[in-house]
Amino acid sequence: MTSLLHGAAVSACVVLSASTAFAAYGRCSVDDPTGTPLNVRSAPNGAILTTLANGTEVEIVDEMRIGAKHWLFVARQGERLGWVFGAYVVCGQPGEARKAAPGQPAEQR
């Protein structure tokens, strides 16, 4: 029982530290230059679960690199959605110039 409680405590700490780290990204939103809805997937390159329209605000829960591609696990209003291609999400603090999601070059506008 003690190891079960310890495991739960460690998991809670990992979740808290991850959410604290991703909070540094500020406000993030979908910004797909193709103008089509952004696919939300079960895994990077996985099955499509749903789509998000441009301008939809999302929270970054996790991130992963596969080769040169950067993937973000996103949530909306606390609901965990799935993985999106990181190049199509922009983040920034209110009043700050928009910047690309972590690890992505900012698009010239």
Side-chain angles (χ1 to χ4, degrees), residues 1-10:
M1 181 71 170
T2 302
S3 66
L4 178 63
L5 290 175
H6 175 72
V10 169

Side-chain angles (χ1 to χ4, degrees), residues 46-108:
I48 297 171
L49 301 173
T50 189
T51 60
L52 297 171
N54 273 342
T56 301
E57 287 191 15
V58 294
E59 301 105 38
I60 298 173
V61 177
D62 199 359
E63 62 184 313
M64 175 187 303
R65 287 195 182 276
I66 299 177
K69 292 188 177 180
H70 187 218
W71 292 88
L72 301 172
F73 191 93
V74 297
R76 183 180 56 211
Q77 299 174 344
E79 177 187 357
R80 297 168 63 93
L81 299 174
W83 293 93
V84 298
F85 188 53
Y88 299 149
V89 175
V90 293
C91 301
Q93 297 296 330
E96 181 181 275
R98 289 174 56 167
K99 61 184 177 186
Q104 295 297 320
E107 185 178 327
Q108 297 295 324

Side-chain angles (χ1 to χ4, degrees), residues 17-18 28 42 67 79 95-96 105:
S17 64
C28 298
S42 60
E79 177 187 357
E96 181 181 275

